[in-house]
Amino acid sequence: MESVLELDAVSKDYPAHRAVNAVSLGVGRGEFFSLLGPSGCGKTTTLRMVAGFEDPTTGQIRLNGAGIEHLKPYQRNVSTVFQNYALFPHLTVRQNIEFGLRRRAENHIDQRVGKVLELVQLTGKESRLPSQLSGGERQRVALARSLVLEPDVLLLDEPLSALDPNLRKQVRAELKNIQRQTGITFLFVTHDQEEALSLSDRLGVMSGGELQQVGTPEDLYLRPQTRFVASFLGLVNWIGGVGVRPEATRVTKDPGEAGPRARPAKVVQSTFLGNCVHVEARMNEGQTVVAEVSRLGESFSEGETVDVWWQPDDELTFE
Amino acid sequence: MKRLRAWFLAPTWAVMLTLFVVPLAIIFAYSLLTRGTWGGISQPWSLESYRRLADPIYLGILWRSFWIAGAATVLCLALGFPLALFISRSGKRKNLYLSLVILPFWTSFLVRTYAWMFLLRDTGLINTALQKLGLIHDPLPLLYNDGAVILGLVYGYLPFMVLPLYATLERLDRNLLEAAADLGAKPWVALTRVVIPLSAPGIRAGAILVFIPCLGAYLTPDLLGGGKTVMIGNLIQNQFTTARDWPFGSAVSLTLMAIVLVLLLVFVRRQEGGLV
């Protein structure tokens, strides 16, 4: 795949610490790429270096093959959706969206604004001020303001984190939809693994300023290369040096059913979660594991003697 | 609770009543009386003092006061805005710079105005230095003109512009500047399209805090204008001292107050939530 954005050994040093350490990655044209990691992992700093708000200490950033590290933010054909949206409070929705087009002296402004308003479903709200909009609407204005410029890469800095949880899932779907419709490359920064897994074509997991692994959601979830990636992308039972996901961990009362990796255990607790049941069992070695089992299958109660087992293929192993 | 509140407010009410309302009532009564033969006031009641205000001489003084105060306000804004912007972006040094802005208040305004006379007069520091350097032959007329008065006013009231401007600029969301740059605005465009419109409340508050005291300024035009540059403040002072026309002095004072009040109402109306 052709890369529209390339980072080549990009580092960022602050007086007291190194925020980003030798990050290299390529984002394909039209791709939805996420940078995922806990707060302070350097993902936002990486995004801000692409936008031009921070200068890399070393390394290169290329957009369409040309180095952009020396360009000012207003000279780069990328655009940012800020976490707090950063809408201009003194300008209407229309004026906010027009802002970038006017700075670039573009043509057909009215037509382009009309189209983007339709895309984000804000038609009819053009003359409102940001203070007269709901949180979700503000988020869409911020998105429209950047989308209308048709940037080479749209940078999104945790754009869903300010929304309430109910709205977040709905907006997530809309966001994915808009990305598909426009074909614009998205570089999306988030600390929410569910968000990153559900939205991205590919994602990179960051920790301590370093890019741990890059791949498709399946790659990262099923074949994590580090313990960090494995445990950041969902729950893991660590059993004797290998990791097993709760949904790959099986529990049975019939010793004959258990496979080669069986361990005797005792049920500690069984928690009904609606769509599934979490069975917590203590193995004879003293360690506790969680198994996610179907609510339609066998049911388990506290104190029962069981076998915990899993398929060797489902083991997560690391060098 | 209510009674307690009344007790706490009582001293303020007492001070306002005796030192503000009562004198104002006296001035109002004076303005409606006639000048006594040897000064002071006497009967009969009349509106003569207010009628005299329409005289072109006095209208001229009024106009002059307005433009001098206006020029001082514009210059304070021109100098104060970049300064306030700089301070608001100075990180840890903010407090140091702010205290430097306020530092002049530690010395009497009178003494500082005399210091300007020492600098600006014909045999003052600036003229002497320029003559010694051979740049000029005759001293430049730096003192006793409108320019000197405006300079003195700008010098005296600049902090009143800088502080409210700083307060609004300090609160300005940094992300908005980044967003402007991100959308393609060069720094100058970001300044005129985003920073200045969003600091309008501070500009308005600063303009009021500078313009109103400048309009009624007395000390600065008296010392630096050398009596040639008469503003309303000097006119009022003259009526109570040299001219001994208390009714007219009172009428001018009340008119000035009325103008200031109207201006304030117009400005504060436009700015919901009061000053700063």
Side-chain angles (χ1 to χ4, degrees), chain A residues 48 53 73-74 78-80 82 84 86-90 99-100 103-104 145 149, chain B residues 173 175-187 189-190 193-194 197-198:
Chain A
R48 289 174 59 81
F53 304 138
Y74 52 84
V78 297
S79 192
T80 310
F82 292 84
N84 70 353
L87 299 179
F88 302 121
H90 60 302
F99 192 92
R103 302 289 82 76
R104 289 158 201 229
R145 184 174 73 170
L149 298 172
Chain B
D173 181 0
N175 275 344
L176 293 178
L177 292 182
E178 287 182 349
D182 187 76
L183 295 167
K186 296 191 174 79
V189 179
R193 298 274 168 165
V194 178
L198 287 176

Side-chain angles (χ1 to χ4, degrees), chain B residues 117 143-146 148-149 219-230:
Chain B
M117 292 175 75
L143 195 56
Y144 303 135
N145 53 39
D146 288 359
V149 175
L219 189 70
T220 313
D222 195 51
L223 294 180
L224 302 180
K228 275 193 296 181
T229 307
V230 174

Side-chain angles (χ1 to χ4, degrees), chain B residues 60-87:
Chain B
I61 292 173
L62 197 65
W63 164 244
R64 176 183 197 78
S65 305
F66 264 91
W67 97 256
I68 288 181
T73 308
V74 169
L75 283 172
C76 277
L77 182 60
L79 291 170
F81 195 90
L83 178 60
L85 193 61
F86 168 77
I87 297 175

